[in-house]
Amino acid sequence: MKWLFKILENLQPDFGPQGKFARFGPLFEAIDNFLFSSAARTTGEPHIRDPLDLKRLMTVVIVALIPCTMASVYFFGLRVISIIMVSYIAGGVCEVIFAIIRKEKINEGFLVTGLVYPLVLPPLLPLWMVALGAIFGVVVGKELFGGTGRNLFNPAIAGRCFLAIGYPVAMASGWVIPGSGPTGRLFQYVSAGNLDAI
């Protein structure tokens, strides 16, 4: 990993305040801080000498969510992976846009939100709805209030509530029989009381 650290260290001036890619500085810093510990050090005393900053704690939460994610793939099929990917892409793009506009760092909170949000969605939800809910959750549930630490609502639950109110049929009209293999046996309502296999 030292080779990667050296590459990032050499690229750092280009993404600094006076660099030619200064506009993308928050994105570069987010990648750098996710892979390696933050370069910021406390100067005043008293302080705790601990390498765990907020970014590292969020990484611990993601690691803690891995068993839940693996169980959801086992119970509901491989489509869960595509739902997670869409959640990260749609919400992550919003995070990057707001960080660039505000000239702030990218907040690590979305790493957790982007994984919690798809885990509370139905496995048959269309991917465009997954993206729409992720965008709503990040923009309205979090960024309108100032970002991480200032949001009134949990962005993951705000996105899910938006979908439940806006698209109730899609949110409640189908399911996967748990444990039916990696592809899952998909079922959805055709009319009240009738089920058809897809």
Side-chain angles (χ1 to χ4, degrees):
M1 291 299 281
K2 287 185 179 181
W3 61 272
L4 182 59
F5 181 77
K6 292 279 187 191
I7 291 171
L8 292 175
E9 193 174 38
N10 291 336
L11 289 174
Q12 205 281 330
D14 290 335
F15 291 92
Q18 306 301 323
K20 54 186 170 185
F21 302 117
R23 173 172 274 187
F24 300 103
L27 180 60
F28 177 82
E29 186 173 344
I31 293 169
D32 186 35
N33 286 343
F34 181 73
L35 296 173
F36 302 101
S37 63
S38 175
R41 300 288 182 252
T42 55
T43 56
E45 292 194 22
H47 59 270
I48 299 172
R49 295 174 184 251
D50 193 340
L52 286 178
D53 59 355
L54 191 56
K55 292 183 189 307
R56 295 290 176 216
L57 290 175
M58 292 296 178
T59 304
V60 170
V61 174
I62 291 172
V63 170
L65 287 172
I66 288 174
C68 297
T69 306
M70 291 171 58
S72 68
V73 171
Y74 172 77
F75 287 119
F76 301 113
L78 295 174
R79 190 165 192 285
V80 172
I81 295 171
S82 61
I83 292 174
I84 292 170
M85 296 300 289
V86 168
S87 168
Y88 269 125
I89 291 168
V93 166
C94 291
E95 285 277 342
V96 169
I97 289 171
F98 272 92
I100 289 171
I101 290 171
R102 291 180 177 160
K103 295 180 174 57
E104 293 179 352
K105 300 176 185 178
I106 293 176
N107 293 312
E108 59 285 339
F110 184 72
L111 295 175
V112 174
T113 300
L115 192 54
V116 170
Y117 169 68
L119 292 177
V120 297
L121 294 177
L124 289 181
L125 194 66
L127 295 179
W128 69 269
M129 286 187 191
V130 173
L132 187 64
I135 291 168
F136 181 88
V138 170
V139 173
V140 176
K142 177 177 165 183
E143 295 299 340
L144 282 182
F145 297 101
T148 302
R150 297 183 189 102
N151 49 312
L152 295 177
F153 308 107
N154 180 313
I157 303 305
R160 191 192 193 291
C161 288
F162 168 75
L163 292 177
I165 293 168
Y167 305 97
V169 174
M171 290 292 285
S173 66
W175 70 86
V176 176
I177 295 178
S180 58
T183 56
R185 285 182 58 198
L186 307 179
F187 285 84
Q188 70 182 46
Y189 285 108
V190 173
S191 61
N194 295 328
L195 295 172
D196 280 351
I198 295 176

